[in-house]
Amino acid sequence: MCDLSDAHSHRHFGFLVDTPEIRALIDETARLTASIADVAARVEALRPAFGRLLASENWLPENCAKPDEASRMGGGIGQYALYRAEDGSLCLFSLVVPAGASTPVHDHLAWGLVGIYRGRQDETVYRRLDDGRDPSHADLEVAKRQELGPGEFYTLLPPTDDIHYVRTISDTPSISIHLLANDTACIWRHRFEPSTGAVTPFRSGYANAPCPDQPASAT
Ligand SMILES: [Fe+2]
C-alpha cells in the first residue's frame, strides 16, 4: 500500500489504503461535491469530516508515515497516496517531512484541506505581486507565517494562499494530511525561488504509486 516495492501488487487508484476512517472522508467529500456547487461552501462543509480523520488513531500505516530517502523533493520528504480518484479529480495523501527539513516553495492548483496529524510545522505563505503572465517568473512576498500542530488544519482555495512552504519544527518528522481536488503529486505544478523570482515546473510524484504516464519502476 505505501511501499513502492509493492507497487506491482497493489492498485494505484482508488483506496490505496482502505480503512473506514479514510472511506468516511472520501464518501463525505463525494456527497458534498454532489450537493454543494460553491467550492468555498463545500470546503467549509468538509471541515468536520476532515477534523475527524485528523483526530482518529491507527488508520495511517507506518509505511505511509516514514521519510522517503529517494524523495524527488529532497530532504527525505515522503508523499504517500492514500486515495486517488482515477479521473484525477481528488486525492488524499500523507506528507512526511523529517525534523528540520523544508519543502520547496510550491503551489497546489486545487481546492482542499490540509492539516497536521503528527509533529509540528512552520508554514510560510506567499502573496504573488505580478500578474502571473510570465510562466518563468513570479514576484513573491511573505503574506503570513503560522505554526500548526496536531489536529490543526486549513482550507485551500487557490489562488488565495496557494504558494507556500513548510518546515518541520518538531524533533520528530511532521506528518500532514492533504485532501485536494486533483492528483496533486502527478500534475505539473510550480516550484518557486522567492529570492530570484524563478519559477520552474514541478512534479513531486508519490513514493508509493506511479503517475499515469510513468511505469511503476520509474516512480
Ligand atoms: Fe503544500
Coordinates of all heavy atoms in Angstrom, one line a residue, residues 106 108 164 178, ligand 1:
H106 N 6.1 26.0 -3.2 CA 5.3 25.3 -4.3 C 3.9 25.7 -4.2 O 3.4 26.3 -3.3 CB 5.4 23.8 -4.1 CG 4.8 23.3 -2.8 ND1 5.6 23.2 -1.6 CD2 3.6 22.9 -2.4 CE1 4.8 22.8 -0.6 NE2 3.6 22.6 -1.1
H108 N -0.4 24.3 -5.4 CA -1.2 23.1 -5.3 C -2.2 23.0 -6.5 O -2.6 22.0 -6.9 CB -1.9 23.0 -4.0 CG -1.0 23.2 -2.8 ND1 -0.7 24.4 -2.4 CD2 -0.4 22.3 -2.0 CE1 0.2 24.3 -1.3 NE2 0.4 23.0 -1.1
H164 N 3.3 28.3 -0.9 CA 3.9 28.2 0.4 C 5.0 27.2 0.5 O 5.3 26.5 -0.5 CB 2.8 27.8 1.4 CG 2.4 26.4 1.5 ND1 1.7 25.8 2.5 CD2 2.6 25.4 0.6 CE1 1.6 24.5 2.3 NE2 2.1 24.2 1.2
H178 N -3.4 15.7 3.4 CA -3.9 16.6 2.3 C -5.1 15.9 1.6 O -4.9 14.8 1.1 CB -2.8 16.9 1.3 CG -1.5 17.4 1.9 ND1 -1.0 18.7 1.6 CD2 -0.7 17.0 2.9 CE1 0.1 18.9 2.3 NE2 0.3 17.9 3.1
Ligands
FE1 FE 1.9 22.3 0.1

